[in-house]
Amino acid sequence: MAHVSASVYTSHVPAIGAALDLGKTGEPYWQKVFGGYEFSKKWIKQHTPDVIFLVYNDHATAFSLEIIPTFAIGTAAEFAVADEGWGPRPVPKVVGHPELASHIAQSVIQDDFDLTIVNKMDVDHGLTVPLSLLFGQPEAWPCRIIPFAVNVVQYPPPSGQRCWQLGHAIRRAIESYDEDLDVQVWGTGGMSHQLQGPRAGLINTEFDKAFLDRLIADPAALAKMPHIDYVREAGSEGIELVMWLIARGAMSDAPPEVVHRFYHVPASNTAVGHLILENRR
Ligand code: DHB
Ligand code: FE
């Protein structure tokens, strides 16, 4: 059967993608950011999964404001890299896993979570920047990727509790797939940042560090935090952090092994957080 081996959490700041694509990773400003991913790049080489179930948010790229699914699972064979205004990032196309994605859709929907099924979708920096941070700039991504888009852009976002429970349903779905696949679940976005309005530029290091602690050690209690606390404490775009609870909810109930932890301010307008958690075998 398939199993979840690990979860990875990371910010998706678009300027990180631009720094990579434009060869700026050696600049002192960016070295401090990329330094936090050196370990992760080695780790992923030794722990390349068969499939990444990648929880991210679309930034009005694939979905305009005309149709806004709360949870959308990508069931296509491949996903093109979106043009976000400066041309598509020069990164490989994303190859999906339609069989596993369809199985997860079937299992999770029958488990009472009403997903939107998406058979054609372009993917933006929310998905490509986390891949670049871990895999660098390969000719092709080294595994299959199932995109799972969550609405955290247009009010109302899903609650942390809903995301946490959905993570459990995703775990049950993966563990009932009849092929021995190593699956990682990634939670992306965050940490604290606000890009708009009078509080633009907001960063809350104390909140972020406590969030990392609680995500590791007491995710069930963290899941009860209402969305308004995210917005007040971590900024309007800090709400992206609810997506980390989906990945955390897909982990085993036993305490995970913390393989890597990194936190840095700033990257563009955002506090960068990054965790790798392994399930104990
Ligand atoms: C920035 C961060 C984001 O999460 C995003 O989607 C766009 C911009 C930033 O820090 O500039
Ligand atoms: Fe974002």
Side-chain angles (χ1 to χ4, degrees):
M1 301 304 255
H3 68 282
V4 178
S5 56
S7 52
V8 174
Y9 308 80
T10 181
S11 307
H12 64 215
V13 187
I16 291 177
L20 276 161
D21 302 341
L22 302 173
K24 293 187 180 171
T25 54
E27 291 181 4
Y29 179 93
W30 288 112
Q31 262 177 357
K32 294 195 189 83
V33 177
F34 291 112
Y37 291 82
E38 283 305 316
F39 171 88
S40 318
K41 290 172 82 170
K42 291 187 200 115
W43 177 85
I44 199 80
K45 278 212 171 85
Q46 269 139 30
H47 298 83
T48 308
D50 298 304
V51 184
I52 297 171
F53 187 90
L54 207 156
V55 181
Y56 75 108
N57 70 292
D58 177 74
H59 298 76
T61 306
F63 305 116
S64 69
L65 292 181
E66 291 176 2
I67 297 181
I68 305 167
T70 300
F71 298 116
I73 185 164
T75 44
E78 48 183 68
F79 304 88
V81 176
D83 183 339
E84 299 179 59
W86 289 271
R89 288 193 60 215
V91 295
K93 71 179 179 197
V94 168
V95 177
H97 198 305
E99 300 82 8
L100 178 60
S102 304
H103 168 83
I104 293 173
Q106 146 93 13
S107 172
V108 167
I109 290 169
Q110 291 303 322
D111 211 355
D112 302 336
F113 292 85
D114 311 315
L115 308 183
T116 299
I117 295 164
V118 187
N119 290 319
K120 186 175 192 311
M121 172 165 79
D122 292 354
V123 288
D124 71 10
H125 68 270
L127 182 131
T128 62
V129 166
L131 289 174
S132 298
L133 278 167
L134 276 283
F135 292 120
Q137 292 160 298
E139 288 286 312
W141 302 120
C143 60
R144 314 273 208 105
I145 295 145
I146 298 175
F148 190 84
V150 179
N151 169 43
V152 287
V153 168
Q154 171 67 47
Y155 196 87
S159 68
Q161 182 67 10
R162 189 69 173 156
C163 290
W164 166 243
Q165 288 171 344
L166 172 59
H168 295 349
I170 290 165
R171 183 209 308 169
R172 288 191 287 271
I174 292 168
E175 290 176 349
S176 64
Y177 187 67
D178 193 13
E179 190 187 333
D180 183 21
L181 294 177
D182 179 335
V183 182
Q184 287 178 9
V185 182
W186 290 18
T188 63
M191 295 191 84
S192 60
H193 63 303
Q194 172 146 345
L195 303 174
Q196 53 185 319
R199 298 200 309 161
L202 178 145
I203 298 284
N204 186 344
T205 296
E206 209 180 313
F207 173 91
D208 290 338
K209 291 190 169 167
F211 187 92
L212 292 172
D213 290 341
R214 297 177 74 196
L215 188 77
I216 294 165
D218 198 6
L222 178 62
K224 295 203 165 63
M225 181 164 73
H227 84 273
I228 197 72
D229 288 16
Y230 288 85
V231 176
R232 190 182 57 243
E233 299 299 325
S236 51
E237 279 65 49
I239 189 67
E240 289 177 348
L241 283 169
V242 291
M243 295 186 288
W244 293 30
L245 282 164
I246 297 178
R248 186 67 181 87
M251 295 288 283
S252 303
D253 294 332
E257 191 175 334
V258 182
V259 185
H260 185 55
R261 176 174 173 156
F262 174 65
Y263 182 75
H264 175 75
V265 178
S268 190
N269 303 293
T270 300
V272 169
H274 174 39
L275 277 179
I276 300 176
L277 304 182
E278 277 181 29
N279 273 333
R280 293 172 204 268
R281 282 289 195 137

